[in-house]
């Protein structure tokens, strides 16, 4: 490998900065807030402009060319998310689009977890991470309590450094532990929480939900790595060069009942929402060995 000259680093930075119009408009500045939200590259802005000026229509709601094309783009985007995450079995997983990480975590909590737990079960969640990865699980506990099902919420053990205590976690897991929520990268100090150790600590049967809001745009997240054996990955688009108000839930769904989002997005039509929505989630009927999922509504 040839020796790197001082100019090589500068050239790399110049090429990267050139992809972002807002950065090139302010060459004197260095943007240091990507953990909060990322700036948008020209390729993303071009894709949005092309869609709005050539194809703008509702996905799954019509049969005319623009609507069909939009539906195709949405389905292609699901597959691209799987590829981006290095999904080892894309035919056995699904991607649901949301408004962001918080909505995605609430989707898992309300639409999956509440149907998975019974009286006396326990879940382990991170009390020291972002509130968005705590409140949905407490909300699920409240919803279940209102139905007469009491579930215990326990704190994911931590070391004094702030990292998860994986040895204590192994001791905390009991016969009624049904779920673990974890964070990939901490939102305050940016530490890698070593989530690859969680599966070894909790065993092969407990579902794990991973908040990847702070990692998916900055670190390789390879679901084909056996050490990263999680069941849900949730993240926001605006932290990964995409637009605000976008996000995704990736679900492997190899443990427990099927993830079946409740409610319709808009009014279903015979060849529109129903077919598209069922196609995007219908795999779960065969992927789950539990009872059939609840009917939407």
């Amino acid at each position: 490998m040839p020796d790197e000259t001082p100019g090589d680093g500068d050239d790399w930075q110049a090429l990267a900065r050139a992809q972002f119009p807002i950065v090139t408009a302010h060459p004197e500045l260095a943007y240091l807030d990507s953990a909060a939200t990322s700036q948008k590259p020209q390729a993303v802005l071009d894709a949005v402009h092309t869609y709005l000026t050539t194809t703008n229509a509702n996905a799954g709601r019509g049969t005319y060319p623009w609507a069909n094309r939009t539906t195709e783009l949405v389905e292609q985007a699901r597959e691209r998310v799987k590829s981006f995450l290095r999904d080892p079995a894309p035919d056995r997983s699904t991607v649901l689009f949301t408004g962001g990480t918080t909505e995605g975590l609430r989707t898992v909590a309300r639409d999956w977890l509440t149907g998975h737990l019974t009286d006396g079960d326990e879940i382990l969640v991170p009390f020291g991470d972002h509130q968005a990865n705590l409140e949905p699980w407490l909300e699920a506990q409240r919803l279940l309590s209102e139905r007469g099902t009491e579930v215990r919420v326990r704190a994911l053990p931590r070391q004094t450094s702030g990292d998860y205590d994986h040895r204590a976690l192994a001791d905390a897991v009991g016969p009624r532990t049904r779920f673990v929520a974890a964070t990939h990268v901490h939102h305050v100090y940016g530490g890698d929480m070593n989530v690859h150790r969680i599966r070894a600590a909790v065993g092969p049967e407990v579902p794990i939900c991973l908040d990847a809001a702070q990692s998916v745009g900055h670190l390789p997240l390879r679901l084909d790595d056996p050490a990263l054996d999680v069941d849900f990955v949730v993240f926001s688009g605006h932290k990964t060069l995409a637009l605000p108000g976008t996000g995704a839930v990736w679900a492997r769904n190899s443990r427990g009942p099927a993830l079946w989002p409740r409610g319709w997005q808009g009014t279903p039509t015979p060849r529109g929402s129903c077919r598209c929505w069922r196609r995007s989630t219908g795999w779960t009927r065969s992927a789950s060995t539990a009872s059939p999922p609840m009917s939407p509504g």
Side-chain angles (χ1 to χ4, degrees):
M1 177 179 295
D3 293 337
E4 183 178 358
T5 63
D8 290 339
D10 297 338
D11 291 342
W12 179 88
Q13 293 182 37
L15 290 172
R17 291 175 65 89
Q19 304 301 312
F20 298 84
I22 193 172
V23 174
T24 57
H26 301 278
E28 74 285 3
L29 299 180
Y31 182 71
L32 302 177
D33 203 22
S34 292
T37 195
S38 62
Q39 297 301 329
K40 316 311 173 194
Q42 188 64 53
V44 171
L45 302 178
D46 290 344
V48 173
H49 182 268
T50 298
Y51 166 73
L52 292 176
T53 57
T54 66
T55 317
N56 184 37
N58 287 345
R61 294 293 303 281
T63 59
Y64 57 98
W66 293 351
N68 289 337
R69 177 56 180 158
T70 299
T71 301
E72 292 173 0
L73 289 172
V74 170
E75 296 306 316
Q76 289 172 10
R78 298 186 205 278
E79 298 307 312
R80 295 188 72 173
V81 169
K82 296 179 186 182
S83 177
F84 176 68
L85 297 176
R86 303 296 196 274
D87 186 347
D91 59 326
R92 298 287 292 174
S93 64
T94 195
V95 170
L96 307 176
F97 291 119
T98 68
T101 302
T102 301
E103 182 185 341
L105 293 168
R106 288 193 75 208
T107 297
V108 176
R110 294 173 63 95
D111 296 349
W112 184 84
L113 187 61
T114 55
H116 179 48
L117 301 178
T118 59
D119 201 59
D121 284 345
E122 298 180 349
I123 64 175
L124 291 165
V125 302
F127 277 71
D129 296 348
H130 198 287
Q131 287 293 106
N133 200 15
L134 173 61
E135 291 299 329
W137 319 120
L138 297 178
E139 181 185 19
Q141 181 190 38
R142 290 193 296 268
L143 290 173
L144 287 168
S145 182
E146 292 171 0
R147 304 173 192 172
T149 300
E150 299 301 328
V151 172
R152 184 182 182 189
V153 177
R154 302 179 61 188
L156 202 63
R158 311 181 79 90
Q159 303 177 36
T160 56
S161 63
D163 295 333
Y164 298 141
D165 189 331
H166 301 90
R167 293 182 179 178
L169 174 59
D171 295 332
V173 173
R176 299 304 299 271
T177 302
R178 297 290 183 264
F179 179 80
V180 173
T183 299
H184 198 190
V185 169
H186 199 275
H187 69 291
V188 175
Y189 53 84
D192 185 336
M193 303 302 287
N194 293 310
V195 295
H196 61 281
R197 299 178 182 174
I198 292 180
R199 173 58 64 198
V202 304
E205 302 301 327
V206 179
I208 299 173
C209 179
L210 184 64
D211 176 355
Q214 296 295 340
S215 62
V216 73
H218 304 279
L219 298 176
L221 203 164
R222 301 188 63 101
L223 294 172
D224 57 355
D225 181 353
L228 196 63
D229 182 10
V230 297
D231 299 86
F232 303 97
V233 174
V234 186
F235 62 93
S236 299
H238 75 97
K239 297 178 186 291
T240 59
L241 308 182
L243 297 185
T246 62
V249 176
W250 171 90
R252 185 195 305 273
N253 216 43
S254 61
R255 303 172 181 89
L259 173 63
W260 192 264
R262 299 172 185 170
W264 297 99
Q265 301 298 317
T267 304
T269 58
R271 298 190 62 190
S273 295
C274 293
R275 185 177 65 174
C276 178
W277 187 83
R278 291 184 187 279
R279 181 173 69 240
S280 66
T281 57
W283 68 275
T284 56
R285 293 183 181 274
S286 59
S288 174
T289 59
S291 58
M294 295 176 61
S295 298

